[in-house]
Amino acid sequence: MPAPFTAADAARLKKSLQSVIADGVTPGSVIVYGTADGTPEYLSAGIVAPECGDEAPTRHTAYDIASLTKVVATWPLVGRALHDGLLDLDEPLRDFLPAMNGETPSAEATVRQLLAHTSGLRASTRLDHYRGAELPLHELMCREPLDDAPGTHRYINRGYILLGLALAHINDQPLDELAAAMWEDLGMPEVTYGPLSRSHQVAPTEQRIPGAPRVWGVAHDDNAALLGGVAGHAGVFATPRSLAQYAQRLLTAYTDQTDTDLGEWTRVSLVPQAAIEPGLDRGLSWVLAAGGRVAYHHGFTGTSLYLALDTGRYLVICTNAVYHGNARTRIAPLRALALKTTSAT
């Protein structure tokens, strides 16, 4: 039986949430938590953003989820492609991209290595450096040399950009259309690639140029923006409600044999592929903690998704903490509490 969160859990989360808002870490936030078979519970505090007046964030507020795109769009689409025989985890990426000429060392990485961040690909990705080039993007990226030996764990976005390009190629369909059809199948209508119209229901992110409007309704990530907001590593917008639906679906699939395809892909993906640091391992896309009992992922804008596999718990954090600059350090205490609370037995 799933283990529900307690009133004390909710009180601690609420206090931490109010603290990060009072400290100016983020304008506002929504936390949603629950179990695979329960009704989601929501904690909300602060405002969407000063541009939205006193509007409080709700379960329907759309957040730029940044790198959660990896596990909400790319990872499940890879699972579908594997099931359909369009991909192979242990074959090189070059087999799933348009034909290329010359040396392409970065195309030798396998799909498994790309998902697990063990490809050795160059860590820095500046798509603006390719402007004006005659070759297609996938070939330009694949011609880049490696930074590390294959098998070395290093978190990078480049592999997921290439996976997004490969998914579009093997399905002969744009990535955003593939993802939209999948989210419809999963019952997640409030998940989408941008752009979104500016409104009180969409959380703005960062002001890049003093005096200019904030990034609002378009991808915060520079490389995703250069790809029109549609990329394998970033660019997706989602609501707290939709991420709760997704978490419940994954937890149910993990234990319920009726959803065999998604369940099997989830179980395969939550096997450690590489050590990150003591107590943390990398699965396929997901970070594994608490002895592999919890899988999670973060987004640069201030979002997080946690799944407790043995207790059936999940927790989602939606913030636009990047509104005040790099949010990673300042939001860490809230994320640490979320992981501890989710993993409690």
Side-chain angles (χ1 to χ4, degrees), residues 5-321:
F5 288 80
T6 66
D9 292 332
R12 284 190 290 269
L13 289 166
K14 183 72 172 180
K15 182 178 179 181
S16 181
L17 177 59
Q18 292 172 332
S19 176
V20 297
I21 292 170
D23 290 344
V25 175
T26 181
S29 175
V30 179
I31 293 177
V32 52
Y33 60 90
T35 59
D37 60 356
T39 301
E41 299 287 343
Y42 294 87
L43 298 173
S44 176
I47 59 175
V48 175
E51 288 86 345
C52 301
D54 295 331
E55 189 82 16
T58 73
R59 66 191 67 185
H60 300 296
T61 302
Y63 287 88
D64 179 342
I65 64 172
S67 279
L68 281 189
T69 297
K70 295 179 175 73
V71 294
V72 174
T74 305
W75 171 78
L77 284 172
V78 167
R80 288 193 168 200
L82 289 167
H83 176 263
D84 293 341
L86 299 175
L87 280 179
D88 187 303
L89 273 179
D90 295 308
E91 293 299 323
L93 179 67
R94 58 174 162 73
D95 290 356
F96 311 111
L97 289 169
M100 295 175 282
N101 297 312
E103 295 293 323
T104 54
S106 291
E108 299 306 311
T110 66
V111 174
R112 183 188 300 275
Q113 290 171 332
L114 294 170
L115 289 170
H117 298 279
T118 58
S119 62
L121 298 186
R122 176 168 288 182
S124 175
T125 304
R126 291 283 305 274
L127 297 189
D128 57 312
H129 289 177
Y130 299 139
R131 283 177 173 164
E134 295 182 0
L135 292 173
L137 177 61
H138 73 278
E139 187 161 352
L140 290 165
M141 295 183 72
C142 288
R143 288 188 175 207
E144 297 276 9
L146 302 183
D147 267 358
D148 298 299
T152 304
H153 180 270
R154 191 175 189 182
Y155 183 84
I156 58 172
N157 288 324
R158 177 181 292 262
Y160 282 76
I161 296 173
L162 286 167
L163 283 170
L165 297 173
L167 285 165
H169 175 66
I170 61 177
N171 286 281
D172 194 26
Q173 190 176 2
L175 181 62
D176 55 339
E177 294 181 10
L178 284 171
M182 176 186 66
W183 293 325
E184 183 177 359
D185 289 345
L186 293 174
M188 298 162 58
E190 294 178 339
V191 184
T192 184
Y193 275 102
L196 278 64
S197 299
R198 295 186 177 193
S199 77
H200 292 184
Q201 289 296 308
V202 178
T205 54
E206 192 173 9
Q207 185 179 45
R208 294 292 180 79
I209 302 172
R214 287 186 177 274
V215 178
W216 193 355
V218 295
H220 172 269
D221 180 89
D222 287 339
N223 289 315
L226 287 170
L227 291 171
V230 179
H233 72 297
V236 169
F237 288 78
T239 65
R241 174 177 176 267
S242 63
L243 292 176
Q245 292 172 321
Y246 185 53
Q248 288 182 310
R249 184 66 178 266
L250 292 180
L251 287 169
T252 300
Y254 182 79
T255 57
D256 187 350
Q257 298 302 314
T258 59
D259 197 349
T260 55
D261 297 341
L262 182 58
E264 178 60 24
W265 177 228
T266 305
R267 287 186 287 273
V268 167
S269 297
L270 303 186
V271 174
Q273 304 291 316
I276 301 174
E277 60 183 56
L280 293 181
D281 292 295
R282 176 74 62 183
L284 298 179
S285 293
W286 298 88
V287 177
L288 308 179
R293 295 185 298 106
V294 175
Y296 71 88
H297 208 289
H298 297 318
F300 184 81
T301 48
T303 55
S304 296
L305 170 59
Y306 304 85
L307 305 172
L309 310 171
D310 55 344
T311 63
R313 289 181 170 189
Y314 68 86
L315 188 149
V316 174
I317 299 174
C318 286
T319 82
N320 52 335

